[in-house]
Amino acid sequence: MVRTPLTPEERARGERLGELLRRARGPRSMVAVAASAGISPETLRKIETGRAPTPAFFTVAALAGALGLSLDEVLARCALEPEEPAPEALPLTA
């Protein structure tokens, strides 16, 4: 099976996911977080560095659970185009 090349947008989304996971992991080791999520440390490393920019849904869900992130938060932070402000940066209107 031949995979089609990723678009620049898909690569950028993968980079945003990796950055979000690295920040959420904080000082915890990759090994500990990967074990908690039920994945290999190598898989986590690839996702965090953008080498695996399109991980499986259940992998993302497991990582989100291990890191205390909601899937809504992961989607909101990763699906945005770079020029759009993050939801927490948007002004609140009453």
Side-chain angles (χ1 to χ4, degrees):
M1 179 169 106
V2 177
R3 287 185 76 174
T4 58
L6 296 175
T7 65
E9 292 81 17
E10 289 169 324
R11 289 201 177 280
R13 186 175 54 233
E15 290 171 6
R16 289 191 298 272
L17 175 62
E19 176 65 23
L20 172 63
L21 296 177
R22 275 192 306 280
R23 286 180 183 226
R25 182 168 56 84
R28 291 178 280 183
S29 74
M30 261 189 200
V31 173
V33 171
S36 179
I39 64 171
S40 73
E42 178 65 14
T43 297
L44 178 55
R45 186 182 66 74
K46 286 180 180 179
I47 294 168
E48 283 190 0
T49 60
R51 288 189 48 224
T54 58
F57 170 78
F58 289 105
T59 300
V60 174
L63 284 167
L67 294 169
L69 299 169
S70 73
L71 288 176
D72 288 335
E73 182 177 8
V74 172
L75 176 64
R77 292 179 179 228
C78 296
L80 297 174
E81 292 302 317
E83 65 273 2
E84 294 181 44
E88 66 273 2
L90 296 174
L92 298 175
T93 57

